[in-house]
Amino acid sequence: MFRALLHKATTLLPSQCAVCRAWPSQPVCGACVSRFAQPVPRCRTCALPLPDGVAQCGTCLLNPPALDACFAAVAYAYPWSQCIAQYKFRQQVGWAATLAELLRHSPWVEPALEQCDAVLPMPLSPERLRERGYNQALELARQLAPHKTQAQLLLRTRHTAPQPSLKRAERLCNVQGAFAVEPLQAASLRGQRLVLVDDVMTSGASLFAAAAVLRQAGAAHITGLVVARTPAD
């Protein structure tokens, strides 16, 4: 009941646009979405911006990640970085609906959700979950595909330092062995099409490490979905 009331309060009632302050509006008005969320060409496996007509970045060509596809709605820049910070660090969980809607209407995201067998949120360690109070990736996944979201299949096996504070090489080491598949449900992943959901993708180290574990368990196709992608390191 509380979740339903929260959804009504944050998505159905009039509010002020967090960007241009228009009233009445949704948390981000249509004009601001049109202005700040225009699709751009991106690498098909890591979502970095690329020149038009280029399908994959050089890094992914040299070292293909375990993801078959990766889609990002926007760049991690104004105004989305501020919106995500409110959602992620200031306990404003109501942003999940707005950010999920932004992601859902990005090119190729809706087909990925329709074709997949399960949607898996990137898991948090117990320490991070206690610190934050909720898993922001799980809340996004529930907004994107509530009937396909499975939060217990992919596990975080150990606490790690925050990725944004580390250099690229350190990020790769930081997440080694940090993910695992729930042993009692591992067999259910064989041959499945999966979608991995997270809020922000920086180097991709965490998403790639999680995807590699799912691939080892037999997943047939893995798509990464993130709200925002940072520039290359």
Side-chain angles (χ1 to χ4, degrees):
M1 181 180 293
F2 175 76
R3 186 177 294 277
L5 290 173
L6 181 62
H7 173 76
K8 290 181 180 179
T10 56
T11 61
L12 301 182
L13 296 180
S15 63
Q16 186 179 48
C17 175
V19 182
C20 71
R21 304 302 176 187
W23 175 274
S25 171
Q26 294 300 308
V28 179
C29 71
C32 286
V33 170
S34 297
R35 179 180 178 186
F36 295 109
Q38 288 296 316
V40 299
R42 294 182 178 274
C43 173
R44 66 178 178 85
T45 48
C46 79
L48 273 179
L50 291 177
D52 196 14
V54 179
Q56 203 169 18
C57 71
T59 299
C60 288
L61 285 171
L62 291 173
N63 299 290
L67 291 175
D68 295 286
C70 188
F71 305 119
V74 294
Y76 189 68
Y78 177 86
W80 309 114
S81 54
Q82 289 91 326
C83 297
I84 292 171
Q86 291 178 27
Y87 170 51
K88 190 171 181 177
F89 302 117
R90 298 173 193 165
Q91 290 74 51
Q92 296 186 22
V93 70
W95 272 102
T98 297
L99 296 175
E101 194 71 7
L102 183 71
L103 181 53
R104 178 182 287 281
H105 285 90
S106 299
W108 312 114
V109 169
E110 189 70 32
L113 292 169
E114 291 178 354
Q115 295 166 13
C116 75
D117 297 296
V119 175
L120 311 183
M122 287 291 287
L124 294 181
S125 67
E127 293 89 343
R128 190 78 71 223
L129 188 58
R130 284 194 298 268
E131 172 189 313
R132 194 163 293 158
Y134 55 92
N135 181 347
Q136 74 279 357
L138 174 56
E139 297 304 321
L140 287 170
R142 284 171 171 164
Q143 293 289 335
L144 289 167
H147 301 300
K148 291 185 177 182
T149 296
Q150 298 189 36
Q152 305 304 321
L153 276 175
L154 182 63
L155 308 176
R156 191 94 182 201
T157 57
R158 61 181 177 84
H159 184 61
T160 56
Q163 290 288 86
S165 65
L166 305 175
K167 296 179 180 179
R168 180 177 176 81
E170 294 172 328
R171 290 172 187 154
L172 296 173
C173 294
N174 190 43
V175 295
Q176 285 185 354
F179 301 98
V181 171
E182 163 57 49
L184 296 179
Q185 301 184 57
S188 68
L189 293 178
R190 189 164 299 279
Q192 297 287 288
R193 295 181 66 91
L194 305 176
V195 165
L196 268 176
V197 175
D198 209 356
D199 57 334
V200 178
M201 185 176 183
T202 306
S203 66
S206 295
L207 211 61
F208 296 160
V213 166
L214 296 170
R215 184 74 71 194
Q216 290 168 7
H221 191 281
I222 307 169
T223 298
L225 298 184
V226 296
V227 176
R229 180 62 158 106
T230 67
D233 299 82

